[in-house]
Amino acid sequence: MQRLMEANTALPEQFHEGYTYCFTAHDIAAQLLISGMEQGIFVTNVILRNEKEKKDLEQAEDIVDWLHKSGRMDDEADVLLTVVFPAVLSDMLHCIFEALEASRKGKLAVAYMLLRKPFQESLYLLESLVADKVLFAKMIAEDPSRLRPQNAGGLDGHARRIESVLEIIGETSRLDAGYIAMLRYDKTSRDSFDSICNKAMHLFTDHKAIKTEQYNVNFILSQGEQVLTQWAYLYSRLPYLMTYFICLIEHIAERFAHTHPTYTQDMNRRLAAQLLKSNAQITEHYQTEQLTQLAQTTYYWLSNHCLENDFPLPAAEHLSRMALSGAFPDEQEELVVSRQHLYQQLTLTDLP
């Protein structure tokens, strides 16, 4: 990745693959958002059932309020979805981009601070959209504070909620709801962004799980091995959350426009290959059962996908090319190039 070649890069080479995976997932989501905005796919149709509704809507000051008062909850939810999803996604991508760039430059306190909002709050909001869009519309209309993560019912509540979302998006075999909940919300665990982000945001913390050590100031006095530990944690765990993030985003985006399957499979190959490259750089100390499960199920999918398309099983030497261009193992370059031309020619409705 070109950014890693810049003179201000402080990120050690052993974390480059994790950084690249996170940016690949970010860029796919960003392209989805940009294309969708340019093509105007973030819209929904509201069917007026009679002349009275048409007249009432013309006199209404706000369509969402009119839909709410008219009891048209499904339509209200769809309109809110078209407004909230691209706005929240845009904000998340800004935070993630700046966090990744801050980490590349060695500004780890800034990186962890920037990751707190998208993964604790914004992702929670998008999960609400997926879990029950009508309930989401009701809460945001009547009491938006109910959409705060604090109302999930503790760590177990978060885990149950995430499990239901994983079932909806079809990712229960690869991702672990309890682990995602812990990474995002468990202040008492050392294996949690919540505890680390809290320390990054505050010079001193007194919760027993994250209490500032004597003669220390959180993150500010970090050096040497401590900084390496902060990078190691970031790029062993963030790819897991980014995998969940991109799966959720793509699921929601399908409500607006269906992506061409060739493009979807191409992006999935790139992500799978880069995830495997990233996982290979995680040291034994930072490996977990959940990370291993994600890598194994991803390789299983990738292997079957290659065989189904009459290509050999992917080996380590195939992953770099696949991650960069989506190329199958031993695929002729002209076929790879032809796919790129196909993407450029797809109609607006085919490729959001």
Side-chain angles (χ1 to χ4, degrees), residues 76-106:
E76 179 190 4
D78 287 337
V79 170
L80 285 170
L81 177 60
T82 64
V83 175
V84 171
F85 173 61
V88 171
L89 177 56
S90 176
D91 185 66
M92 291 181 77
L93 290 171
H94 284 306
C95 291
I96 293 169
F97 176 91
E98 297 298 342
L100 292 172
E101 279 294 85
S103 77
R104 178 180 66 81
K105 299 172 185 177

Side-chain angles (χ1 to χ4, degrees), residues 160-274:
R160 288 192 298 270
R161 195 169 177 275
I162 295 168
E163 181 67 26
S164 68
V165 172
L166 289 176
E167 290 174 358
I168 292 170
I169 67 177
E171 288 291 347
T172 54
S173 64
R174 286 208 305 162
L175 298 168
D176 184 284
Y179 190 59
I180 293 172
M182 184 185 75
L183 287 176
R184 290 162 62 193
Y185 298 112
D186 191 355
K187 191 183 272 78
T188 66
S189 173
R190 294 178 63 86
D191 190 0
S192 170
F193 276 97
D194 189 42
S195 59
I196 300 175
C197 291
N198 262 297
K199 297 190 82 169
M201 290 183 67
H202 305 289
L203 295 179
F204 304 102
T205 44
D206 55 13
H207 188 283
K208 62 180 181 180
I210 55 173
K211 187 176 178 63
T212 305
E213 301 87 350
Q214 289 180 305
Y215 303 108
N216 195 14
V217 180
N218 291 338
F219 269 80
I220 302 300
L221 301 182
S222 297
Q223 55 185 317
E225 194 63 33
Q226 292 171 315
V227 176
L228 284 174
T229 297
Q230 292 161 10
W231 265 318
Y233 183 80
L234 181 63
Y235 288 113
S236 64
R237 302 304 188 259
L238 187 56
Y240 196 90
L241 290 183
M242 288 298 292
T243 300
Y244 178 50
F245 162 75
I246 193 65
C247 291
L248 188 65
I249 294 305
E250 290 179 339
H251 175 83
I252 298 173
E254 284 291 311
R255 299 188 181 195
F256 299 101
H258 293 293
T259 307
H260 195 287
T262 301
Y263 177 82
T264 300
Q265 291 175 4
D266 190 318
M267 295 302 108
N268 287 342
R269 284 195 301 278
R270 298 184 197 207
L271 284 171
Q274 189 58 50

